[in-house]
Amino acid sequence: MAKTLNRDGVLRLITCGSVDDGKSTLIGRLLHDSQAIMDDTLSTLANDSRKHGTTGGEIDYALLLDGLEAEREQGITIDVAWRFFATPRRRFIIADTPGHEQYTRNMATGASTADLAIILVDASKGLLPQTRRHSFIASLMGIGQIVLAVNKMDLVDFDEARFRAIVDEYTAIAERLGFPGFTAIPMAARAGLNLACPAAEMPWYQGPTLIAHLESIELAATDASGPLRFPVQWVNRPDAHFRGYAGTIVAGQVKPGDPIVTARSGKATRVARIVTVDGDLAGAGPEAAVTLVLEDEIDISRGDMLVSPEDRPAVAQQFAADLIWLDEDELKPGRSYLLKSGPLTTPASVTLLKHRIDITTLDERPARTLAMNEIGLANLETTAPLLFDPYGECRDTGGFILIDRYTNNTVGAGMIRHALRRASNIHLQPMTVTQAQRSALKGHQPAVIWFTGLSGSGKSTIANLVEARLAALSCHTYALDGDNVRHGLNRDLGFTDADRVENIRRIGEIAKLMADAGLIVTCSFISPFRSEREMARQLVGAERFIEVFVDTPIEICQARDPKGLYAKAASGELTNFTGIDSPYEAPEEPQLHITTSTMSEADAAEAIINWLRARDIIG
């Protein structure tokens, strides 16, 4: 399967690099020199240049791409701008992507479909961190064709030595990233030097102009002979007489009569028809949006994939992937995110961050989290089995995004390397004694009573009273408390946000085992993040998870301050303290809301016991 698939003969390219290196100007000038700008657009551009331009009254070609008002006011690119242009020899789609570090997500979006990357460097500044970051992302995205555009040569008096020094420095980066090679072109984009015509100002450069080079690039042809990959986007069943599976072929080809299997279950059948709005087809290949009708009725749903029997994708719940973090809130290993790959969306978490990339040296550094725009290698685990090929073999089936479950923001972009070996070798062992049998022996239903609230709110005190009342009623219980657990199982964890997430993940797993044993488990933890409390709920099972919000004003908690923690946090001796310099996300719909300013701890415990009785958890 080709690593870079060019499906229609159009060269897709991206410009990237640091801010103010001249990306938008380069594209605008390319459009002008290829006569892709209409006269009325050129007239409007001239007017806009006088209002927003930075070229002293001359035409500012960057304004063709910087369409947002904020872009024009600040003189930067924010959004990804796509433009089509053509020369007598080739058609192009070019993406102008932001150079600012905070818009790295937009650069990654543009790179995900590109065949070639133009890495711009300001000759007067040289290579910058964004040059390395964007080059690294281009390598992760499988872009094999690189042009190093050393721009603004006029600012260094067209100095050949300066150009050669930049090329030598970038050569080391290209070798480190595994690029097969790159083409370096000195230019002055604003004046159009070495874009379409050779520059007399740089007679020492004998290579091609940018357009000549782009026209000569040989693209990887569509590998229609490769294995079929057809992700099912929709089950089309308008009536009882028709069942089809709609989607877009991302690799390979198919025709009626071909054998086919579902990747997840391995069920085999044959293609009966290829249906489109214009009628049936005799065959279809990559990028064809079709509905496949199969000879047999088998269980297929959205997110499944129909594939070639002889060459199937990996099916695993654990895999290693390169990860670009895109959110202001850092990555929290163990937190449950939504992973979207093609039509499939499933809960997923990072189980291990193996390293992050030092963007200055491109070295691998140990890390426990990723900050915004950082890149690392991670192990991930999904709730549902994922169907994929390594990203280096197929972009469409090897890429994914991570989505925050509460904000719905895209927080990460990933490129799968391989399945983890243990993912296919570990299987659940069936047990003879069931959870229902264990509960019957104990005479009550299992439950996890999860107490959450600020430090000093009274969680542990109320939980202790509840367990004592349950024990008096002959219930089988166990208490998990934040301080106690950190003396043993979680003694290796600190109080960073990432460590808090891992702390709750481990507690959730323990509570799940204890509930499976038939116990009523009280859990007293600040557990400040909604995502982790929801993760614990999912681990235990919503029907057995009881969230108790011990709602105590922070002023009362500070007045109590039984451990002196608030005083230490206020003096700066204690960092990452919830309620002071680390956030607490209050429950939105807890099963029980205990307001300690109006209820005694004994009354709160009795209210919880009554709640358990009313729902037949205890007798």
Side-chain angles (χ1 to χ4, degrees), residues 366-377:
R368 300 191 72 166
T369 185
L370 292 178
M372 184 176 180
N373 299 323
E374 287 189 328
I375 302 167
L377 177 64

Side-chain angles (χ1 to χ4, degrees), residues 465-543:
L465 290 171
V466 168
E467 188 186 22
R469 288 282 286 111
L470 290 170
L473 295 170
S474 300
C475 296
H476 296 248
T477 66
Y478 196 85
L480 294 172
D481 185 80
D483 284 355
N484 294 351
V485 170
R486 282 185 178 273
H487 276 86
L489 175 70
N490 292 349
R491 67 191 308 170
D492 60 317
L493 299 178
F495 290 90
T496 65
D497 286 352
D499 282 350
R500 289 177 188 275
V501 170
E502 175 60 14
N503 181 57
I504 297 305
R505 187 196 68 80
R506 294 182 190 178
I507 296 305
E509 293 284 1
I510 294 172
K512 173 186 176 182
L513 293 175
M514 289 184 169
D516 194 53
L519 303 179
I520 297 176
V521 189
T522 61
C523 299
S524 305
F525 298 90
I526 295 174
S527 47
F529 303 122
R530 295 189 188 102
S531 293
E532 278 57 68
R533 297 196 298 268
E534 182 60 28
M535 174 182 64
R537 183 190 303 276
Q538 291 180 355
L539 282 171
V540 172
E543 72 284 355

Side-chain angles (χ1 to χ4, degrees), residues 187-432:
M187 61 180 63
R190 180 179 295 174
L193 303 183
N194 274 342
L195 267 65
C197 299
E201 293 84 349
M202 293 176 277
W204 43 265
Y205 175 71
Q206 300 297 312
T209 63
L210 178 61
I211 286 182
H213 177 68
L214 296 179
E215 288 177 333
S216 68
I217 291 291
E218 292 187 8
L219 297 174
T222 299
D223 190 4
S225 62
L228 175 68
R229 297 291 185 263
F230 182 79
V232 176
Q233 297 172 332
W234 177 49
V235 179
N236 184 359
R237 189 167 172 78
D239 54 51
H241 305 290
F242 183 90
R243 182 193 295 271
Y245 305 98
T248 299
I249 299 173
V250 299
Q253 59 183 349
V254 66
K255 61 183 184 298
D258 281 352
I260 202 169
V261 300
T262 61
R264 198 184 308 275
S265 68
K267 296 290 185 181
T269 183
R270 290 182 179 273
V271 177
R273 298 170 58 195
I274 304 175
V275 179
T276 72
V277 68
D278 297 319
D280 285 14
L281 300 179
E287 288 296 278
V290 297
T291 296
L292 298 185
V293 178
L294 307 180
E295 290 184 354
D296 305 294
E297 288 197 8
I298 54 180
D299 184 18
I300 301 173
S301 59
R302 176 182 169 84
D304 280 325
M305 189 184 298
L306 299 174
V307 301
S308 305
E310 67 278 3
D311 195 341
R312 306 182 191 182
V315 182
Q317 289 179 252
Q318 299 178 13
F319 53 88
D322 295 294
L323 195 60
I324 306 171
W325 196 249
L326 306 172
D327 197 54
E328 292 181 358
D329 290 336
E330 65 182 17
L331 165 69
K332 297 177 176 64
R335 168 167 286 187
S336 179
Y337 298 97
L338 292 178
L339 182 149
K340 180 172 175 55
S341 176
L344 177 68
T345 300
T346 178
S349 62
V350 172
T351 57
L352 174 67
L353 182 60
K354 304 181 79 171
H355 64 249
R356 69 169 180 84
I357 299 298
D358 183 330
I359 211 63
T360 302
T361 64
L362 300 182
D363 291 332
E364 299 172 358
R365 305 291 188 194
R368 300 191 72 166
T369 185
L370 292 178
M372 184 176 180
N373 299 323
E374 287 189 328
I375 302 167
L377 177 64
N379 292 346
L380 291 94
E381 182 174 10
T382 57
T383 300
L386 194 65
L387 315 172
F388 62 87
D389 298 284
Y391 187 86
E393 296 180 8
C394 183
R395 290 181 177 183
D396 294 280
T397 59
F400 64 89
I401 60 173
L402 292 178
I403 302 169
D404 186 277
R405 301 181 67 130
Y406 286 90
T407 66
N408 209 37
N409 290 337
T410 298
V411 296
M415 290 68 66
I416 299 175
R417 288 195 181 186
H418 54 77
L420 298 179
R421 181 173 297 178
R422 63 178 179 271
S424 58
N425 293 337
I426 296 178
H427 305 280
L428 288 173
Q429 174 66 35
M431 297 296 181
T432 302

Side-chain angles (χ1 to χ4, degrees), residues 13-42:
L13 57 146
I14 178 178
T15 59
C16 44
S18 192
V19 66
D20 293 332
D21 281 348
K23 297 179 293 299
S24 297
T25 299
L26 170 67
I27 298 177
R29 187 73 198 212
L30 278 176
L31 297 175
H32 175 269
D33 291 357
S34 61
Q35 299 181 339
I37 305 176
M38 298 295 183
D39 290 342
D40 58 342
T41 302
L42 195 59

